[in-house]
Amino acid sequence: MIPSPGFSSEPTWRPRPEAHDDDAPRHVGGGPRLLKTQECVRPAGRGRGRGGRAPPRRGSPVGCQGPTGHRAASVGALPRGLRCCPSRRHLCTPQAESWLHKQAQKEGWSRAAKLHGRKTKEGLIGLLQDGNATVLVEVNCETDFVSRNLKFQQLVQQVALGTLLHCQNLKDQLSTYSKGFLNSSELSELPAGPEKEGCLKDQLALAIGKLGENMTLKRAAWVKVPAGFYVGSYVHGAMHSSSLHNLELGKYGALVVCETSERKASLEDLGRRLGQHVVGMAPLSVGSLDDEPGGEAETKMLSQPYLLDPSITLGQYVQPQGVSVVDFVRFECGEGEEAAETE
């Protein structure tokens, strides 16, 4: 078979001119070996572009490419000091991380401004306890879908930690319990914590930028107790995650402050049951053990029918336990938004 004139099945060798025997390479095995100055001319027209190089694949970018063959889209947007060789990109990591964080925060604030005013009726209640301090926070979003997202839950955790640090930093000489509330603007200005930069409102902007929904830091409550007091707590439909440590999340939450002469092992279970009653019966005040028993419309806590045994009042349930209920806090997710819509 005679090969066509335009194609040769064997490469054409172009030897270096005036090569001497002393310059010949020494190798083992038969067949010619290329010298450094020799060139193999591959015939054109067999799946190669001009100059023997493969043409770029359609749709693939041409330019600086990473190890996977894709061009980094953000390289051109990086500041001049951060545009380094891909093989040395790890040397710029601290600067790049700082720049990316600022860019994400800037984009988050921009998106937050666009989404401002959209209703945030969903969200989560977060409960966090540490030592003698307990906090309850509410963070809202637009949809229940986002409230189940881990990034949103981490935002609730950050808000709870910021509130807890604020509570612990208050230098109070406690002879009795202390309770405080933070509204949305006060909550937004709290420091984000030792491991985060800026305030809680900066963390809120980052979360809005990542999840694309309007969110609000609604409110927070904190309670600190000295010896002789105990804080019972309950979160309805509590969700736990290993990455969120001791944080409890749900749609309803309650704290109940009890005074007791001695610390009992059953206090934790008692506190949980009192919290369940507050969530389910929604009292408006504590009341007194001397008050007359009321019906389901009763708003005084101790006069209400006990949630788990309506045949007795809550006061009749608590009295034999050796504790006195002195105060409580109840949060229901989105309750302020519903009231505003009704008005």
Side-chain angles (χ1 to χ4, degrees), residues 66-81:
T68 59
H70 297 286
R71 178 182 176 87
S74 61
V75 170
L78 286 170
R80 185 179 299 274

Side-chain angles (χ1 to χ4, degrees), residues 213-291:
E213 276 196 8
N214 189 26
M215 302 175 196
T216 55
L217 308 181
K218 183 68 174 293
R219 53 180 171 168
W222 53 266
V223 176
K224 287 178 72 175
V225 295
F229 286 82
Y230 177 76
V231 180
S233 61
Y234 174 72
V235 172
H236 184 67
M239 297 180 289
H240 298 273
S241 173
S242 58
S243 62
L244 300 177
H245 305 293
N246 297 325
L247 183 70
E248 293 185 54
L249 298 170
K251 296 295 185 179
Y252 299 82
L255 306 179
V256 183
V257 184
C258 303
E259 188 174 6
T260 178
S261 56
E262 58 182 71
R263 181 82 179 194
K264 300 178 181 179
S266 60
L267 276 178
E268 184 174 352
D269 185 57
L270 175 63
R272 177 178 174 81
R273 293 187 179 190
L274 292 176
Q276 285 178 315
H277 179 91
V278 170
V279 166
M281 300 299 289
L284 300 179
S285 61
V286 175
S288 169
L289 292 174
D290 299 328
D291 294 334

Side-chain angles (χ1 to χ4, degrees), residues 136-150:
L136 204 61
V137 301
E138 179 182 354
V139 183
N140 298 126
C141 57
E142 296 181 44
T143 63
D144 186 60
F145 176 77
V146 165
S147 71
R148 295 193 297 268
N149 189 286
L150 180 60

Side-chain angles (χ1 to χ4, degrees), residues 4-225:
S4 61
F7 173 76
S8 173
S9 59
E10 297 293 332
T12 303
W13 304 103
R14 295 180 182 175
R16 187 178 66 180
E18 299 180 4
H20 299 285
D21 294 340
D22 294 337
D23 298 327
R26 299 178 181 180
H27 64 276
V28 180
R33 172 167 292 190
L34 285 174
L35 298 176
K36 291 183 179 180
T37 55
Q38 288 178 326
E39 177 185 14
C40 176
V41 180
R42 188 180 296 273
R46 298 285 289 184
R48 295 283 178 173
R50 188 174 298 175
R53 302 179 69 181
R57 186 176 299 175
R58 180 175 296 179
S60 64
V62 180
C64 178
Q65 297 181 351
T68 59
H70 297 286
R71 178 182 176 87
S74 61
V75 170
L78 286 170
R80 185 179 299 274
L82 301 181
R83 300 179 191 177
C84 52
C85 176
S87 62
R88 299 184 179 180
R89 191 71 49 80
H90 65 280
L91 300 177
C92 315
T93 298
Q95 287 179 286
E97 285 184 352
S98 176
W99 181 82
L100 290 172
H101 178 78
K102 291 179 181 178
Q103 286 296 109
Q105 199 169 71
K106 183 178 178 181
E107 292 173 5
W109 279 115
S110 175
R111 179 166 290 187
K114 293 178 182 178
L115 300 177
H116 180 71
R118 288 166 59 167
K119 295 178 182 179
T120 54
K121 297 189 295 183
E122 299 294 335
L124 288 172
I125 302 296
L127 169 69
L128 188 61
Q129 288 184 295
D130 183 39
N132 67 336
T134 309
V135 300
L136 204 61
V137 301
E138 179 182 354
V139 183
N140 298 126
C141 57
E142 296 181 44
T143 63
D144 186 60
F145 176 77
V146 165
S147 71
R148 295 193 297 268
N149 189 286
L150 180 60
K151 286 184 172 58
F152 180 80
Q153 294 174 4
Q154 289 172 339
L155 173 65
V156 180
Q157 180 189 35
Q158 196 64 46
V159 175
L161 286 172
T163 307
L164 185 65
L165 289 174
H166 169 75
C167 174
Q168 292 174 336
N169 290 335
L170 296 175
K171 305 298 182 183
D172 295 333
Q173 298 295 329
L174 293 179
S175 58
T176 184
Y177 78 98
S178 63
K179 180 179 72 171
F181 292 91
L182 297 170
N183 59 29
S184 180
S185 58
E186 293 169 335
L187 197 56
S188 299
E189 296 299 330
L190 291 183
E195 299 180 0
K196 300 288 184 179
E197 296 181 1
C199 302
L200 289 179
K201 62 182 179 183
D202 298 318
Q203 301 302 314
L204 175 67
L206 285 172
I208 292 174
K210 291 176 182 177
L211 298 176
E213 276 196 8
N214 189 26
M215 302 175 196
T216 55
L217 308 181
K218 183 68 174 293
R219 53 180 171 168
W222 53 266
V223 176
K224 287 178 72 175
V225 295

